Amino acid sequence: MKFLILALCVAAVAADPHWLMLPANEVAAVKDTWNHIKHDEVAILEAVFKAYPDIQARFPKFAGKSLDSIKGSADFAVHASRIVSFFSEYISFLGVENTQPAIKTILNELGQSHRNRGVTKAQFEEFHQALMSYLKSHNMWNADIAHAWDDAFDKMYFVVFSALEGHPVN
């Protein structure tokens, strides 16, 4: 009987390999580096749009406009704040076992809302690259911090990409 229970536990983890709690040291690294930039909302979104203009083109309010002409606007600041606030919420939930259902909920909602807008996995990956570049340039950076952020994005994108494909994670 003990073998059967162990086998079921292993199978459950194998079925959802991305849905594990991040180790405490990774959570701490992500939270620490995020805290250094989370008040740079406009600069973060500007860096994303500058690196990947195709992402800017996905936003009706910003499409076809020069980045210089929109980065000082209220619409730009509001959207930048939404993005950073989302990441702040996700990051605040990391490492807390009883918030794992909430993480899945907010990530499923993000994936579903972006699916409805036609956003692709490639564009999410571009966003990831741009945010990582911004983080690296505004923090002390090393391989452990990079690994922590990769794990945090893997956890996030496992759910978001499933929702993008119309299969929310429960």
Side-chain angles (χ1 to χ4, degrees), residues 3-170:
F3 177 74
L4 179 60
I5 292 171
L6 178 62
L8 289 173
C9 289
V10 169
V13 169
D16 197 352
H18 293 90
W19 203 258
L20 301 173
M21 291 280 292
L22 294 182
N25 64 314
E26 290 187 6
V27 171
V30 168
K31 287 183 177 185
D32 181 56
T33 52
W34 183 249
N35 285 337
H36 284 98
I37 68 158
K38 69 182 181 182
H39 299 292
D40 299 345
E41 297 98 336
V42 169
I44 291 168
L45 188 56
E46 179 184 5
V48 170
F49 284 1
K50 189 176 286 186
Y52 296 101
D54 63 303
I55 295 176
Q56 178 181 332
R58 301 294 305 168
F59 294 88
K61 289 184 178 182
F62 309 137
K65 298 177 181 173
S66 76
L67 185 53
D68 286 335
S69 72
I70 61 172
K71 69 182 180 185
S73 71
D75 286 337
F76 193 87
V78 166
H79 198 77
S81 180
R82 283 186 192 132
I83 292 169
V84 170
S85 293
F86 175 85
F87 270 88
S88 291
E89 182 177 27
Y90 169 64
I91 291 166
S92 74
F93 288 157
L94 291 176
V96 182
E97 191 164 336
N98 66 351
T99 63
Q100 298 310 291
I103 289 176
K104 287 181 181 179
T105 297
I106 65 170
L107 296 177
N108 276 318
E109 289 171 356
L110 180 73
Q112 290 167 341
S113 68
H114 284 72
R115 177 178 184 236
N116 295 341
R117 295 183 191 113
V119 176
T120 66
K121 287 181 184 181
Q123 288 167 322
F124 271 98
E125 288 295 347
E126 290 173 347
F127 180 88
H128 174 202
Q129 294 306 313
L131 183 58
M132 289 302 90
S133 292
Y134 190 87
L135 274 161
K136 288 176 192 176
S137 68
H138 291 82
N139 276 286
M140 298 297 290
W141 201 258
N142 62 42
D144 291 337
I145 293 170
H147 181 75
W149 273 99
D150 285 345
D151 284 354
F153 264 97
D154 287 349
K155 181 180 181 92
M156 177 189 299
Y157 281 0
F158 174 74
V159 177
V160 171
F161 289 173
S162 294
L164 274 179
E165 295 169 352
H167 309 289
V169 173
N170 295 319

